[in-house]
Amino acid sequence: MSALPSSNFLRAYTESALRKYFPELLRRKMAAVQVAGSLPCGQPRETPREPPPEQDDGFCRLSARLRALRPDDSSSSRAEIHLLFDQLISENYGEGSGVAPQDVSALLVQACQLVPLNQNHLVSKVSQLIHHLLNRLQVVVDEQNLDFLLTYTTSAIQQCSSWTHVDILQALAALVYCNGSKCQKYLPDLLGKSGLLMKFSDLSRSDPEVRRAAVQCMVNLCLSVPGQPYLEESYQNVCFQAFLTILQSPKSSNMDDVTFCMLLQNALKGIQSLLNGGKMKLTQTEQLGALLAVLKKTMFHGLPGLNIEMPAVLYPTPLPQYDGRSPVKPHQPEPSAARPSVTKKKKHKVKPKKAQEGEKEGEEDESSGEMETTPGIRSGRVSMCQENTWCSSSRAMQSVPVDGSRAAAREQVSPFSPSSWKRLSNSESDYSDAEGGVQGKMRLYQAKVRQGALACFLSTIKSIEKKVLYGYWSAFVPDTPELGSPQSVSLMTLTLKDPSPKTRACALQVLSAILEGSKQFLSVAEDTNDHRRAFTPFSVTIASSIRELHRCLLLALVAESSSQTLTQIIKCLANLVSNSPYNRLKLSLLTKVWNHIKPYIRHKDVNVRVSSLTLLGAIVSTHAPLPEVQLLLQQPCSSGLGSSHSATPYLSTPDWWKKVPAGLSLEEASSSSPKGSSEPCWLIRLCISTVVLPKEDSCSGSDAGSATGSTYEPPPMRLEALQVLAHLARGYFSMAQLYLMELGEVICKCVGETNSSIQLHGVKLLEELGMGLIQQHKPDSSTAPEQRVPVLLVVMFWTAMLNGPLPRALQSSEHPTLQASACDALSSILPEAFSSLPSDKQILCITMLLGLNDSKNHLVKAATSRALGVYVLFPCLRQDVIFVADTANAILMSLQDKSLNVRAKAAWSLGNLTDTLIVNIDTPDPSFQEEFSGLLLLKMLQSAIQASKDKDKVKSNAVRALGNLLHFLQPSHIERPRFAEIVEESIQTLISTVVNEATMKVRWNACYAMGNVFKNTSLPLGTAPWASQAYKALTSVVTSCKNFKVRIRSAAALAIPGKREQYGSLEQYTQIWNALVTALQKSEDTTDFLEFKYCASLRTHICQALIHLLSLASALDLPCIKNTLELNGGMIQSYILQFLKSGTEGDDPGAGHTPHERNQMVRMALQHIRGVQTPAGDTARRAIVGFLEDILTVYCDSLGAQVALLGSSNQ
């Protein structure tokens, strides 16, 4: 009887060894046992059973047997437990097995209760069971059972033999997966100074598998779960330092290459989790530099033909640094990407991978596979794999269609897409020489390390500020090598030379993240032809780096064969183009990109085609308009588009042009169109055909994303084409205007479709065209009148739009974004064209906008408020009292909205409406002022006061409206008692806004508004109590405000009153005069370098104000002026002479006077002072007259000297 337990024990021990070292053999063995129905210990055979109707029957049966067992230390009981554990492990758990997570947790608790810690073999087996079930069934243990299981595993690892530690640590890793927040009380024992994980992950550990398993536990602890607390900062730092130490340490002698690669992967994933989930901030330079150093080294791990040496820390520097490379072995020559070979292709072995169990190690899903070439035989990577498939290793032995839907779907996956459950077994028996060999296995693991480093680098980029990142620009971005020097090792090295297409795509994604938002950093770049400098300026270094990026990316574009990687290259180029300062660089960069990308517009992969259009859109939108791009747009239609002659077909005559105004035929419209270049713009033609014409057969094969049976290009293609058209309308309107009517047809077709995204982009294109027409017809437009689109043609265009589906878009309440965009488009009508529209169309526009102002959607309401603010400025509408009143009521209602955006737009429109009131003051017909409701005016003042207490976005326009309303008030209004109180409150609001520490834009508008108040001569400016407060506020700002623009506006406001009595008493006049003199003295006192450019403009406005005060001075004012001149006469004289000679030197348009006008201002002041009647013996007038005469004498002498000098030079 004693032999039977021994044999069972040996059987269990043997199966344990099989499970650990030969899992495939064990699975086959257990399957045979189950089919035969044999049981140990001589028990009767069961009849062969049919497959269970429910997939969880096996689990339920085995768990029931397990629950029936009781703790027993006999050998037979141990053998039965061994066998039961093996059966649970070998059970086939398919997807949707129906096993409840709580049942799994309860089973594991029961299993642990059956296994005492002194039974090493059973502890090892139950650890394998925990690891297998949690991973295979994707179960996260609940908190109650987790507490017991963690206590059990931590105790087991302390008490059991060292050979069990790997299995126990793997079980621990599975338990803590996504449970980090529930393990808080165990963290001191796990991650403390003498914690288990810290001890087992130490470099001194002799067993590399134990070390790797401990690191995996730390990685799983660092995983974040939304809505749950993360690790404390102290434990984050402990884990980060542990991961960093692993990455910095070389491979130990007792560790094989595969284990080392897996260890590096785990460390990289741990840091990535800390950065992503823990939002860890790398604030210390040493910490960030150390991480970037190991990332740069690790991202080249195992790259054929390359072995770089890195320091422990990278430091920010504008120059290339630390590019030490070990010599390359002769038998592994570095592949050249400059001359890709397209004809020579080699067949490479591909490793099919069996469907394997996953383990919860957080590794990427490698089921997509990669075909990798042997080191040293790649030439430009063109022979890597077919153009439109990822060369999946699991299907590499089959003939997969190039354009199959599976391949297309696989290419949609981002190279950094994480997989929660690892599909790779840790068993090395899955790789045999027959399945790819050791070298192929190593290349796969090394590529995964490089991908992990790049993924971690991407997370690092997102966790630090861009200005910090750009300090390390030269370490990761290539620079043009010096003559005879090797190319620097950078992200482009991976893009050009890595044999794995997935790694290349990852490198490109990282480079795109670096380039995104780099416009300000790259704006310093500038090419120079001066080669005689003793040093290379930073601007030239950046320009060189930009050129090298263009060169390398275009090389990669030509050499690439993977469609997914090709898409990443083109997206990276688009990011580069969007941020590069081509206006400061030499020509031809954009031309090279343009010529390289044109063939890819007809690529059979839809993602490549879409990204190609994105790149073209970036080219036509960067620093537009560029002369180089203007020439590229005028290239012949077929240039660079291959043999496809139907790439840019023309549209047929649209039916809706039959609805043009009766007075103009299409022939007349064509003859009246602007005379532009006879060369059509091929890009506009291409985009039009992409949007409205059926797709070609050559491009239909891989459009997996398009709707079944659709005759058009896929929606992403059409949307991108519409965006390119919008960019062209914005930056190159002279090109787009040649296709105005045709683009109108495109817009009508798009807005009439059912796809809301197509509709939205069609309306956006309409808005861009409308804004282009408005800009072209502005008085200061640089476009010659004969080159502008005739107003009659613009009327035709908008009539067609209003006859088309645009009104339906305005009424589509189920699509509020479309409604809002349609309102924006409606506000882009050329004012001159609006007045020529049929009256029913004008009424339609106004009625729609006033009606939509009642919308409950804040986007629609904001767009409507803005559009009404545009319409109220139209010359044909601003004298219509009824329309202005209706608009005012609508705007006042929007000012009460809960949405800040709506209130901000309404305040802007209120400012525009009050501008219209001011314009109507100057009209000869006083009927508008008489008919405009005083009650409505009172409501507008009250609303503006209330809005002035709102956020700064609302306040800045509210104070502008207040100033205009106070300027508009008529004597009949001011005399009413109800208005007196509101006028006082309005002015007090302006005064407090001028003085308070609001944003500079708000204070500037408040000073501007105060100047408008001073223009109303009906207000008691000289006698009212608020007048002295207003002057005091302005004088305080003009002398002490940090912002010079606000000072300029306050000085301009002080120069507005036209009569001496409006400045009030002698004391008040003296205060204003002295404040202006003080402001002139302090006109250069600033610590902000950006304010210096406004110094001259400030002095100009102050001089104008002083001269204006002199021209109004009374006899009583002269002594105080004389006293000031005695103290500061020299300073004032020098600045007034500058004012006479040079005028304004700034961007402020309010001080633009001609030299003659400035001279006349001083002469009028002199004439006024001479005419002032003063008592006998008064010396003040004589002193001031002498002062002004001296100024004019010096000015005339200098002017005469300039004339004489000019005459002599002409002679």
Side-chain angles (χ1 to χ4, degrees), residues 654-662 664 796 799-800 802-804 838 841:
D655 293 334
W656 57 264
W657 293 122
K658 297 174 184 176
K659 301 178 182 178
V660 298
L664 189 67
M796 277 185 60
T799 303
L802 295 170
N803 283 334
K841 300 304 176 190

Side-chain angles (χ1 to χ4, degrees), residues 775-786:
Q775 295 295 326
Q776 193 181 68
H777 282 266
K778 280 187 174 181
D780 57 349
S781 172
S782 59
T783 307
E786 63 273 11

Side-chain angles (χ1 to χ4, degrees), residues 263-328:
L263 184 64
L264 292 179
Q265 287 181 64
N266 289 340
L268 290 166
K269 289 181 183 300
I271 292 178
Q272 188 178 0
S273 296
L274 289 170
L275 295 174
N276 290 346
K279 307 298 181 186
M280 186 176 181
K281 298 300 180 184
L282 302 171
T283 54
Q284 299 178 8
T285 304
E286 294 284 333
Q287 190 182 43
L288 176 61
L291 176 60
L292 292 178
V294 296
L295 288 180
K296 181 168 183 179
K297 183 177 181 179
T298 315
M299 71 174 61
F300 296 104
H301 180 77
L303 186 65
L306 187 65
N307 184 22
I308 67 169
E309 308 233 345
M310 294 294 298
V313 179
L314 276 180
Y315 292 99
T317 172
L319 301 176
Q321 57 178 334
Y322 312 126
D323 193 12
R325 284 196 258 183
S326 299
V328 182

Side-chain angles (χ1 to χ4, degrees), residues 920-961:
N920 285 322
I921 291 178
D922 301 327
T923 56
D925 185 7
S927 59
F928 183 91
Q929 294 94 304
E930 294 171 358
E931 295 176 12
F932 196 80
S933 168
L935 182 61
L936 180 58
L937 199 61
L938 194 66
K939 288 172 61 179
M940 291 169 68
L941 280 166
Q942 291 170 341
S943 295
I945 292 170
Q946 191 65 32
S948 299
K949 302 171 185 176
D950 206 330
K951 303 289 185 182
D952 285 348
K953 275 181 152 183
V954 181
K955 189 185 297 185
S956 60
N957 283 298
V959 294
R960 174 168 73 101

Side-chain angles (χ1 to χ4, degrees), residues 58-245:
F59 177 85
C60 293
R61 177 176 51 80
L62 293 170
S63 61
R65 288 176 55 190
L66 187 69
R67 285 194 300 271
L69 295 177
R70 294 292 176 267
D72 188 354
D73 201 25
S74 65
S75 58
S76 59
S77 176
R78 291 199 300 270
E80 187 175 0
I81 293 173
H82 259 294
L83 182 59
L84 198 52
F85 285 173
D86 283 333
Q87 289 177 333
L88 280 166
I89 291 172
S90 61
E91 183 71 24
N92 182 23
Y93 304 101
E95 292 186 7
S97 59
V99 180
Q102 59 269 23
D103 293 340
V104 177
S105 301
L107 180 141
L108 295 177
V109 170
Q110 175 68 17
C112 291
Q113 289 172 344
L114 292 172
V115 178
L117 296 180
N118 59 355
Q119 297 294 327
N120 287 331
H121 291 286
L122 279 178
V123 171
S124 175
K125 184 57 63 72
V126 78
S127 298
Q128 293 175 24
L129 180 65
I130 294 172
H131 176 241
H132 175 78
L133 287 183
L134 294 182
N135 280 279
R136 191 71 183 86
L137 297 174
Q138 301 186 13
V139 171
V140 176
V141 181
D142 59 274
E143 189 168 1
Q144 182 178 358
N145 291 319
L146 177 67
D147 190 57
F148 173 82
L149 292 171
L150 283 178
T151 303
Y152 181 87
T153 50
T154 52
S155 300
I157 204 168
Q158 291 172 337
Q159 298 181 31
C160 294
S161 300
S162 59
W163 65 268
T164 65
H165 288 172
V166 173
D167 291 329
I168 299 173
L169 286 170
Q170 288 179 348
L172 181 61
L175 288 169
V176 301
Y177 184 84
C178 290
N179 269 325
S181 60
K182 302 172 186 175
C183 304
Q184 296 294 330
K185 65 179 181 180
Y186 296 95
L187 292 180
D189 295 332
L190 295 175
L191 297 176
K193 288 186 178 181
S194 57
L196 293 174
L197 297 182
M198 302 308 298
K199 180 175 68 174
F200 286 116
S201 64
D202 191 74
L203 297 175
S204 60
R205 298 299 302 181
S206 59
D207 189 345
E209 286 294 339
V210 171
R211 186 178 169 204
R212 188 177 72 84
V215 172
Q216 185 62 57
C217 290
M218 296 171 65
V219 172
N220 288 357
L221 277 171
C222 293
L223 289 175
S224 64
V225 179
Q228 294 187 12
Y230 199 69
L231 286 180
E232 296 178 7
E233 186 177 354
S234 59
Y235 292 121
Q236 289 186 42
N237 293 329
V238 167
C239 292
F240 178 84
Q241 195 56 47
F243 297 143
L244 192 63
T245 303

Side-chain angles (χ1 to χ4, degrees), residues 873-884:
L873 294 175
F874 283 2
C876 62
L877 294 176
R878 64 189 178 204
Q879 291 185 341
D880 186 336
V881 177
I882 296 176
F883 169 73
V884 173

